[in-house]
């Protein structure tokens, strides 16, 4: 779906902040609709901007060609036209906030063109009016009548009023009945094709999870599962799926059927076959849907209940789902069953009826990934309508009016890499007519096709060249005759130089350079002769769907595959209530500013990957300018603001400039960060780098002053604080400072050390140290240390190499109910593993009333009981920091017991108050041993190899543990001393 990143150079990979920026960006966007306006935007006159961007006009000119490729011929990316600025003449997106900020920048910076009041008043900033989409023109005949039992147009009506308060319960892993195709192959599970009647699972209370649990849909108690405990005499409406496995092609309405278990099915042990009861040979017609079969199979296996039924109607497509009704052949006698079995039978009956009832709310005949996408789209349009324009909402709502084939094809293409695809190579079992689907999508503006384009931009032509095979590219390069066109003769000897080249990108570059802009039409024709018709997602659709996914998941790393992971049982999300009283983005302008900042971040990442230093400097300058011009707002989650994204770009810029030894420029950036972000946990690192860079320039007195002032900052915490304290002690020796700071004794405490000798396997600088263990096997320094401590000389300790992992696991289990408690506006998606405020001070402040009583229970010795209960209740459920596979319950119980109740409560409080600052850098080894009375003791060990030294964060943790009464030490592993 997105551009695959090549491996960046090692120097760029090590830049501090690079990985964090990549996580923030998430999956790269195909199209950056604001790229051209971003790069051409004049920068306000800060010193840093003038020093970073040399010959700015030349830089902009060089970038304009690159800017065009993602805006180009496919139309507006976000439903807004481009307008021309009367000051600088550059193109600007036609949004009010964008025009105002751009014009302010132009007027502040100064311009060659003199403007009068009349000039400004006459200029029309409003984008051209767009033709309204006439829904009545959509062809209703494109819909399969067998797959829709109601007017689907009703589903497209979405309220545009802002929702002030939304409450719903999130789904656990069994709640979501969504499964997507992953590789385009038809070889998928027989019951995974269609969401149909009976297409849901239910929880233990019998509550079916469906669209009824989403905001805006109210379901009475009578409508939910659990109202019926007996299916005797009831008609259950469902479908025959998996028709491609059918032994009988011709079906007739009213034909009798019977159900037969298929426990040997390798794809689903709960599979139930549908057999023809009218023919003597009982041919297989297909299968019962997976979600219904999950419960129906248990009734058939455990209680020997059999089912029969009939076909209600026959669809036009031979592989489409077939509506049927089934019923129980015999009366279920509950009086003959024992008490426990009665409860089991009643529960299964409730689940069967619940699964059947789900299809009344789910669109009929939908493929699961199609259902997921529609659910995602509907929820975003319902909960955040204020961030979309009328045209954008109309465009997205129109998706529900498309035929099933069109919807499925669009989702398939959107989730693939692309951007271009050969129409001849598109083949999916659930899509019956590709040509008709492409035509409908093209008319609706969701895809672009080469059939309606006579000439493409150079960059789009490059995209189509990428779908050619290496063999096809070689064929084009191996042409021997001369090509004549436009009174110009081009020798193809150049092609012959690369005819044996196996590198695809080199071949593409050679073709593009040989066929210049004037002859690109000839190359376009040659390419289409080999590829046939090609299609791609339009930039408008791509940008809007990207926004919908971002709003739904609240991050850039998750997408539709999250539904698939849940349904496959790979990921199980916790249960919590989403109580939404405030919007994440209070206005559309806030969202657009955030999206634009993410575009700058992506351009920055791409520039580092391509080693384009000029563009890196441009992104830094843009970010500094935008940070300073942003309106100061107090927001609870600053990570969803444009200024926060720009600060990530600037921080990466600091690392880039430091790697170039441009310390003066790096200092200027750090000054801007410290000036504009008064309440930010990163201030400690910024201040530290500020002090270090000043020292690089020989300005030691200033470096000392910066470090001293940083210690008065309440946002300087953990390792950064320890580091600044140590700098003050080192730089502040007499005669610079005569007074010894009060923290001197605490920071300079000697951390106990143990020295262990080992036989080294390698001694290369920069490589991870490897040793031979006591058993002769190769191991790292941590494993060697564990062997030492397990022996008699080491004290007979048990232990694990865990670093922060085991501590965060214990914290997550002990504080589970606190983490997932009902706090407004911290759970916005059903796919979260932690609240949005876990990394902020708000986490402790908002939950103090429930945290402190829990910590009191832990201090009173109830930690082990809480741990066991949490483990048994939530095992396998995803929670940030909790690793179910690495540590057993036995190990965790031993840890909690040996650490002691008082120390355990202290650690939990420390993490609850400042999770972000203290969730890393914990000691490598956690050791424990029991005494005869079941009491125990624990030891924390940081292991260091021959050339390693403690980081300041590690030192901070060791000092904290020592202050809390822990037995903590450093184990240094060294090779034997040569005589």
């Amino acid at each position: 779906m997105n551009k695959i990143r090549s491996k960046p150079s090692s120097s760029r990979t090590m830049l501090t902040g690079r990985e964090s920026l990549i996580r923030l960006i998430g999956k790269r966007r195909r199209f950056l609709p604001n790229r051209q306006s971003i790069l051409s935007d004049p920068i306000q006159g800060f010193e840093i901007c003038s020093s970073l961007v040399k010959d700015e006009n030349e830089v902009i000119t060089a970038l304009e060609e690159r800017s065009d490729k993602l805006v180009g011929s496919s139309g507006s990316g976000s439903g807004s036209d481009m307008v021309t600025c009367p000051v600088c003449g550059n193109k600007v997106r036609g949004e009010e906030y964008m025009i105002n900020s751009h014009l302010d920048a132009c007027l502040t910076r100064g311009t060659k063109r003199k403007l009068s009041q009349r000039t400004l008043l006459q200029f029309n900033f409003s984008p051209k009016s767009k033709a309204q989409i006439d829904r009545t023109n959509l062809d209703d005949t494109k819909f399969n009548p067998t797959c829709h039992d109601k007017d689907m147009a009703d589903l497209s009506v979405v309220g545009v009023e802002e929702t002030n308060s939304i409450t719903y319960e999130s789904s656990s892993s069994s709640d979501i009945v969504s499964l997507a195709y992953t590789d385009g192959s038809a070889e998928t599970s027989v019951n995974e094709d269609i969401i149909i009647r009976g297409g849901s699972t239910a929880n233990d209370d019998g509550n079916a999870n469906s669209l009824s649990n989403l905001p805006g849909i109210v379901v009475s108690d009578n409508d939910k599962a659990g109202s019926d405990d007996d299916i005797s005499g009831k008609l259950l409406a469902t479908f025959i799926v998996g028709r491609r496995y059918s032994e009988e092609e011709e079906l007739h309405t009213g034909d009798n059927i019977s159900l037969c278990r298929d426990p040997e099915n390798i794809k689903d042990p709960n599979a139930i076959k549908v057999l023809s009861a009218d023919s003597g040979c009982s041919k297989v017609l297909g299968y019962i849907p997976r979600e219904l079969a999950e419960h129906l199979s248990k009734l058939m296996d455990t209680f020997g209940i059999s089912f029969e039924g009939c076909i209600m109607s026959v669809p036009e497509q031979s592989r489409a789902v077939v509506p049927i009704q089934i019923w129980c052949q015999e009366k279920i006698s509950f009086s003959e069953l024992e008490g426990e079995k009665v409860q089991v039978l009643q529960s299964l009956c409730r689940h069967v009826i619940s699964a059947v009832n789900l299809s009344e709310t789910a669109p009929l005949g939908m493929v699961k990934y199609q259902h997921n996408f529609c659910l995602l789209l509907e929820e975003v349009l319902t909960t955040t309508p204020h961030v979309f324009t009328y045209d954008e909402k109309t465009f997205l709502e129109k998706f529900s009016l498309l035929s099933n084939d069109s919807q499925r094809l669009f989702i398939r293409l959107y989730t693939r890499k692309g951007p271009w695809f050969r129409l001849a190579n598109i083949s999916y079992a659930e899509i019956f007519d590709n040509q008709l689907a492409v035509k409908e999508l093209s008319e609706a503006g969701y895809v672009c096709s080469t059939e309606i384009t006579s000439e493409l931009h150079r960059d789009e032509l490059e995209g189509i060249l990428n779908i050619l095979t290496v063999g096809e590219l070689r064929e084009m390069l191996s042409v021997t005759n001369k090509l004549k066109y436009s009174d110009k003769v081009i020798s193809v000897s150049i092609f012959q130089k690369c005819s044996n080249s196996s590198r695809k990108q080199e071949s593409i570059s050679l073709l593009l350079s040989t066929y210049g802009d004037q002859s690109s039409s000839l190359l376009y024709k040659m390419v289409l002769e080999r590829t046939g018709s090609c299609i791609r997602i339009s930039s408008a659709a791509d940008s809007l769907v990207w926004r919908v996914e971002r709003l739904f998941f609240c991050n850039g790393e998750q997408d539709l595959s999250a539904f698939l992971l849940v349904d496959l049982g790979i990921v199980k999300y916790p249960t919590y209530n989403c109580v939404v009283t405030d919007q994440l983005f209070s206005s559309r302008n806030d969202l657009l500013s955030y999206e634009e900042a993410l575009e700058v971040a992506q351009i920055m990442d791409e520039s580092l990957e391509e080693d384009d230093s000029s563009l890196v400097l441009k992104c830094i300058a843009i970010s500094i300018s935008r940070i300073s011009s942003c309106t100061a707002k107090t927001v609870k989650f600053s990570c969803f603001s444009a200024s926060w994204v720009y600060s990530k770009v600037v921080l990466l810029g600091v690392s880039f400039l430091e790697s170039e030894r441009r310390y003066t420029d790096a200092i200027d950036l750090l000054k801007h960060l410290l000036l504009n972000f008064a309440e930010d946990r990163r201030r400690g690192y910024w201040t530290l780098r500020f002090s270090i860079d000043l020292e690089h320039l020989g300005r030691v007195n200033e470096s000392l002053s910066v470090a001293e002032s940083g210690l008065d900052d309440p946002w300087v915490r953990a390792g950064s604080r320890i580091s600044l304290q140590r700098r003050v002690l080192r730089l502040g020796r007499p005669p610079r400072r005569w007074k010894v700071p009060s923290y001197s004794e605490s920071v300079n405490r000697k951390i106990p050390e143990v020295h262990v000798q080992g036989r080294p396997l390698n001694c290369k600088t920069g490589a991870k140290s490897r040793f031979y263990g006591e058993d002769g096997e190769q191991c790292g320094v941590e494993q060697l240390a564990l062997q030492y401590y397990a022996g008699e000389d080491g004290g007979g300790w048990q232990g694990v190499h865990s670093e922060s992992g085991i501590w965060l696991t214990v914290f997550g289990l002990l504080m589970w109910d606190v983490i997932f408690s009902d706090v407004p506006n911290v759970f916005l998606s059903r796919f979260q593993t932690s609240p949005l405020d876990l990394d902020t001070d708000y986490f402790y402040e908002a939950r103090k009333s429930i945290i402190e009583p829990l910590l009191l229970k832990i201090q009173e010795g109830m930690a082990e009981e809480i741990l066991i209960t949490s483990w048994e209740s939530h095992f396998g459920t995803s929670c940030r920091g909790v690793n179910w596979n690495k540590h057993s319950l036995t190990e965790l119980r031993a840890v909690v017991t040996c650490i002691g109740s008082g120390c355990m409560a202290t650690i939990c409080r420390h993490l609850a108050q400042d999770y972000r600052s203290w969730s890393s850098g914990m000691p490598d080894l956690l050791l424990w041993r029991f005494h005869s009375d079941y009491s125990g003791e624990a030891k924390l060990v940081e292991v260091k190899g021959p050339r390693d030294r403690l980081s300041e964060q590690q030192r901070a943790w060791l000092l904290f543990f020592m202050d809390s009464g822990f037995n903590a030490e450093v184990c240094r592993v060294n090779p034997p001393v040569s005589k």
Side-chain angles (χ1 to χ4, degrees):
M1 164 180 174
N2 300 282
K3 178 180 178 181
I4 295 179
R5 307 181 183 196
S6 60
K7 185 177 180 179
S9 61
S10 58
S11 62
R12 301 304 184 216
T13 305
M14 299 302 293
L15 292 179
T16 301
R18 179 79 187 276
E19 292 184 6
S20 177
L21 189 75
I22 291 173
R23 288 196 300 271
L24 172 65
I25 297 167
K27 296 181 178 178
R28 284 185 182 173
R29 301 175 65 179
R30 294 190 187 97
F31 306 99
L32 299 181
N34 302 312
R35 186 183 184 108
Q36 184 177 12
S37 61
I38 289 171
L39 296 178
S40 62
D41 195 28
I43 302 172
Q44 296 186 18
F46 295 107
E47 292 181 7
I48 181 66
C49 298
S50 60
S51 64
L52 289 179
V53 183
K54 310 293 184 181
D55 298 325
E56 181 182 325
N57 292 332
E58 294 182 10
V59 175
I60 294 176
T61 302
L63 293 172
E64 282 179 350
E65 294 183 0
R66 292 182 59 187
S67 304
D68 291 338
K69 69 179 180 180
L70 298 180
V71 182
S73 61
S74 56
S76 170
S78 59
S80 300
D81 288 339
M82 306 297 291
V83 297
T84 303
C85 174
V87 183
C88 63
N90 291 320
K91 293 290 185 181
V92 186
R93 193 176 69 235
E95 298 292 342
E96 180 181 353
Y97 98 97
M98 185 63 193
I99 294 172
N100 290 339
S101 63
H102 178 91
L103 188 57
D104 289 342
C106 286
L107 296 176
T108 303
R109 182 170 179 263
T111 177
K112 296 179 180 179
R113 180 180 176 185
K114 294 182 179 180
L115 293 177
S116 64
Q117 184 179 11
R118 182 171 178 269
T119 310
L120 292 174
L121 291 176
Q122 284 183 342
F123 183 73
N124 181 14
F125 283 101
S126 302
K128 297 178 182 178
S129 60
K130 299 181 182 297
Q132 303 298 328
I133 300 174
D134 187 0
R135 300 185 186 180
T136 60
N137 292 336
L138 293 175
D139 186 3
D140 294 334
T141 62
K142 295 176 182 176
F143 295 88
N144 186 345
T146 64
C147 296
H148 296 264
D149 60 351
K150 61 180 180 179
D151 185 6
M152 292 298 291
D154 293 341
L155 297 177
S156 67
V157 179
V158 180
V160 296
E161 296 183 5
E162 182 174 341
T163 303
N164 294 322
S165 181
I166 305 163
T167 305
Y168 63 89
E169 185 173 346
S170 83
S171 301
S172 62
S173 65
S174 61
D175 296 337
I176 302 175
V177 292
S178 51
L179 185 59
Y181 297 92
T182 57
D183 58 357
S185 118
E187 295 299 324
T188 53
S189 176
V190 296
N191 289 330
E192 293 172 4
D193 290 342
I194 306 295
I195 284 205
I196 38 67
R197 296 190 187 277
S200 174
T201 58
N203 57 27
D204 293 338
D205 297 325
N207 295 324
N209 295 279
S210 66
L211 293 176
S212 61
N213 286 335
L214 296 178
I217 300 180
V218 180
V219 180
S220 66
D221 293 338
N222 294 332
D223 293 330
K224 294 194 173 186
S227 59
D228 292 299
D229 296 334
D230 188 1
I231 60 173
S232 300
K234 288 186 170 61
L235 297 178
L236 307 177
T238 182
F239 292 86
I240 302 176
V241 299
R243 284 282 292 151
R244 61 178 175 273
Y245 302 99
S246 172
E247 299 174 354
E248 181 66 59
E249 291 292 334
E250 187 175 355
L251 301 178
H252 301 91
T253 301
D255 284 355
N256 294 321
I257 58 172
S258 62
L259 305 188
C260 176
R261 282 282 285 114
D262 185 14
E264 303 301 324
N265 191 303
I266 60 174
K267 296 182 178 179
D268 183 11
N270 295 322
I272 299 176
K273 293 187 290 188
V274 180
L275 306 179
S276 172
D278 291 333
S279 59
C281 56
S282 298
K283 293 182 178 181
V284 177
L285 304 181
Y287 290 81
I288 290 295
R290 175 191 291 268
E291 293 76 24
L292 178 58
E294 179 183 355
H295 309 295
L296 214 57
S297 60
K298 294 179 176 63
L299 284 175
M300 298 173 72
D301 294 343
T302 306
F303 298 97
I305 300 174
S306 56
F307 293 85
E308 59 184 11
C310 66
I311 296 175
M312 302 306 296
S313 64
V314 179
E316 296 178 2
Q317 300 288 345
S318 61
R319 290 188 176 183
V321 296
V322 180
I324 60 173
Q325 282 188 346
I326 59 174
W327 54 85
C328 181
Q329 286 184 318
E330 56 274 340
K331 174 70 176 177
I332 300 177
S333 177
F334 288 91
S335 60
E336 299 177 2
L337 301 175
E338 299 176 0
E340 241 178 66
K341 289 187 177 181
V342 171
Q343 294 179 0
V344 172
L345 179 57
Q346 289 176 339
S347 176
L348 287 174
C349 289
R350 288 197 301 268
H351 287 172
V352 167
I353 295 175
S354 169
V356 169
N357 289 340
L358 174 68
S359 60
E360 296 179 2
T361 58
L364 305 183
M366 272 195 175
V367 176
K368 291 185 178 180
Y369 66 77
Q370 178 188 3
H371 172 69
N372 296 338
F373 185 86
C374 292
L375 184 149
L376 180 149
L377 194 61
E378 180 183 351
E379 183 167 335
V380 170
L381 287 174
T382 302
T383 58
T384 57
H386 64 289
V387 299
F388 297 96
T389 65
Y390 175 80
D391 287 342
E392 289 171 345
K393 284 184 284 192
T394 303
F395 182 84
L396 291 172
E397 290 167 4
K398 186 167 56 174
F399 185 84
S400 63
L401 302 178
L402 298 174
S403 66
N404 281 332
D405 279 357
S406 297
Q407 291 185 7
R408 296 167 189 172
L409 181 60
F410 175 81
I411 300 167
R412 285 286 201 175
L413 298 182
Y414 181 79
T415 53
R416 288 176 60 181
K417 178 188 173 184
W420 286 96
F421 307 92
R422 298 190 198 203
L423 188 56
N425 290 351
I426 297 176
S427 177
Y428 300 105
E430 74 277 14
I431 300 175
F432 303 113
D433 193 334
N434 286 332
Q435 297 287 345
L436 187 60
V438 169
K439 180 181 179 182
E440 186 178 7
L441 287 170
S442 181
E443 291 173 352
Y446 279 88
V447 300
C448 298
S449 173
T450 56
E451 292 183 353
I452 59 174
T453 305
S454 58
E455 189 172 346
L456 290 179
H457 189 274
R458 177 186 175 91
D459 296 299
E460 293 192 332
L461 183 57
E462 181 180 356
I464 297 181
L465 283 170
N466 269 292
I467 66 178
L468 291 172
T469 64
V470 174
E472 289 170 329
L473 289 171
R474 284 180 179 175
E475 179 186 347
M476 294 181 67
L477 289 169
S478 64
V479 179
T480 55
N481 61 322
K482 292 183 178 180
L483 306 174
K484 297 182 180 181
Y485 59 95
S486 300
D487 298 326
K488 193 183 227 179
V489 178
I490 293 183
S491 175
V492 295
S493 60
I494 302 178
F495 293 131
Q496 296 172 353
K497 294 180 182 179
C498 198
S499 59
N500 295 324
S501 173
S502 60
R503 295 187 177 182
K504 188 172 184 178
Q505 291 306 317
E506 288 183 2
S507 301
I508 292 174
S509 299
L510 184 57
L511 284 168
L512 290 172
S513 62
T514 304
Y515 292 88
D517 293 337
Q518 295 180 353
S519 56
S520 59
S521 58
L522 177 61
L523 178 59
Y524 179 44
K525 181 178 179 181
M526 293 174 60
V527 172
L528 290 186
E529 287 176 355
R530 290 163 176 79
T531 62
S533 297
C534 299
I535 60 172
R536 69 166 175 82
I537 300 293
S538 69
S539 60
D542 188 85
S543 296
L544 286 176
V545 173
W546 175 87
R547 179 186 298 172
V548 167
E549 281 190 324
R550 195 94 189 188
L551 289 170
F552 184 85
F553 293 108
C554 301
N555 61 72
E557 297 179 281
Q558 290 177 299
D559 54 23
L560 284 170
S561 62
F563 289 92
L564 173 64
L565 295 176
V566 168
D567 197 61
L568 293 177
I570 299 174
V571 178
K572 180 181 179 182
Y573 288 96
T575 300
Y576 47 77
N577 293 327
C578 292
V579 183
V580 182
T581 59
D582 299 321
Q583 295 289 348
L584 197 59
F585 298 98
S586 59
S587 68
R588 172 179 168 81
N589 285 347
D590 288 344
L591 175 61
L592 293 179
S593 299
Y594 178 71
E595 290 181 355
E596 193 169 283
L598 288 175
E599 290 189 40
V600 175
Q602 181 170 327
I603 295 171
M604 178 72 164
D605 184 37
E606 292 171 351
S607 304
L608 288 171
E609 187 175 285
E610 298 166 4
D611 206 16
D612 187 345
S613 298
S614 63
L615 191 51
V616 169
L617 297 178
K618 177 71 175 179
C619 291
I620 297 171
I622 290 174
S623 299
I624 281 291
S625 175
R626 299 289 174 85
I627 287 174
S628 301
S629 62
C630 283
T631 304
K633 292 182 180 180
T634 303
V635 290
K636 189 173 183 179
F637 305 122
S638 59
C639 58
F640 293 102
S641 66
S643 59
W644 189 84
V645 179
Y646 288 128
S647 72
K648 303 282 280 186
V649 176
V650 174
L651 179 58
L652 183 54
V654 170
S655 300
F656 172 79
L657 293 172
E658 288 175 341
S659 69
E660 300 286 327
R661 300 183 183 274
R662 298 175 60 173
Y663 299 116
T664 301
D665 289 334
I667 287 171
D668 288 337
L669 293 182
L670 290 166
K671 285 180 180 178
H672 281 290
L673 290 175
L674 290 168
L675 177 65
N676 288 280
F677 296 91
E679 298 180 356
D680 197 295
R681 295 172 185 271
R682 298 168 294 172
R683 289 180 62 85
Y685 179 76
W686 299 343
T687 305
L688 177 61
R689 296 312 308 173
F690 190 5
S691 177
I692 291 173
D693 288 343
L694 285 170
E695 187 178 8
H696 283 316
L697 295 175
R699 297 154 63 178
V700 180
N701 289 328
E702 292 179 64
S703 176
L704 176 58
S705 298
V706 167
E708 288 175 330
S709 62
L711 293 176
D712 296 329
D713 191 336
W715 293 93
V716 177
R717 305 171 180 177
S720 296
R721 189 168 196 82
I722 295 293
S723 183
L724 287 175
Q725 289 175 339
R726 287 165 58 82
R727 285 188 65 78
V728 170
L729 294 176
R730 179 174 63 83
L731 299 177
R733 294 169 182 167
R736 290 195 183 94
R737 300 288 187 274
W738 293 97
K739 183 179 180 180
V740 179
S742 59
Y743 50 78
S744 173
E745 184 177 347
S746 174
V747 173
N748 286 330
R749 275 178 296 171
K750 181 69 175 178
I751 300 175
E753 290 189 359
V754 173
H755 293 269
V756 177
Q757 287 189 351
R759 188 157 56 99
L761 178 65
N762 67 322
C763 298
K764 293 181 180 179
T765 303
K768 186 174 177 61
S769 300
R770 300 287 295 175
F771 288 82
Y772 289 103
E774 295 181 3
D775 54 0
E777 298 292 329
Q778 299 180 14
C779 64
V781 290
E782 295 84 4
Q783 286 72 31
L784 186 62
L786 281 173
Q787 294 175 11
Y788 164 77
Y789 282 106
E792 294 183 4
D793 295 339
W797 296 87
Q798 300 179 60
V800 292
H801 171 212
S802 63
E803 298 182 4
S804 303
I806 196 166
W807 295 104
L808 298 184
T809 296
V810 171
F811 174 80
L813 291 174
L814 293 179
M815 308 288 287
W816 191 285
D817 292 339
V818 171
I819 294 172
F820 299 105
S821 58
D822 292 346
V823 176
N825 305 312
V826 296
F827 290 107
L828 305 181
S829 163
R830 291 165 296 156
F831 296 88
Q832 291 179 227
T833 58
S834 65
L836 293 177
D837 65 346
L838 181 59
D839 285 332
T840 71
D841 290 351
Y842 294 105
F843 178 80
Y844 178 80
E845 295 171 5
R847 302 164 181 82
K848 185 176 180 180
S849 60
I850 56 177
I851 289 177
E852 289 303 329
L854 179 61
L855 294 178
L856 182 61
K857 290 182 180 179
I858 294 174
Q859 195 162 358
E860 292 173 349
M862 297 182 62
E864 186 176 2
E865 180 182 343
I866 297 172
L867 181 80
I868 295 172
T869 302
S870 183
W871 177 281
E872 293 176 347
S873 302
H874 309 295
F875 181 78
T877 303
S878 295
C879 174
R880 181 175 171 185
V882 176
N883 191 325
W884 298 101
N885 300 320
K886 191 170 184 179
H887 309 291
S888 65
L889 179 59
T890 302
E891 288 178 342
L892 298 177
R893 291 179 62 185
V895 168
V896 169
T897 301
C898 294
I899 286 175
S901 55
C903 291
M904 193 71 251
T906 302
I907 294 173
C908 287
R909 179 179 286 106
H910 210 54
L911 287 171
Q913 291 176 338
D914 195 352
Y915 190 89
R916 182 179 179 84
S917 298
W918 292 100
S919 58
S920 62
M922 297 184 184
D924 293 314
L925 306 184
L926 175 56
L927 309 175
W928 65 86
R929 60 186 177 190
F930 286 101
H931 303 306
S932 57
D933 57 351
Y934 191 65
S935 63
E937 60 178 322
K939 176 183 286 191
L940 300 166
V941 182
E942 182 65 41
V943 184
K944 292 299 174 185
R947 296 170 298 277
D948 297 337
R949 64 178 183 178
L950 286 174
S951 71
E952 300 302 345
Q953 182 70 12
Q954 292 168 343
R955 187 182 299 276
W957 263 116
L958 289 171
L959 294 177
F960 166 77
F961 283 130
M962 291 169 63
D963 290 339
S964 302
F966 278 93
N967 183 1
E969 64 187 28
V970 176
C971 177
R972 297 196 177 275
V973 179
N974 295 301
V977 179
S978 301
K979 295 183 180 179

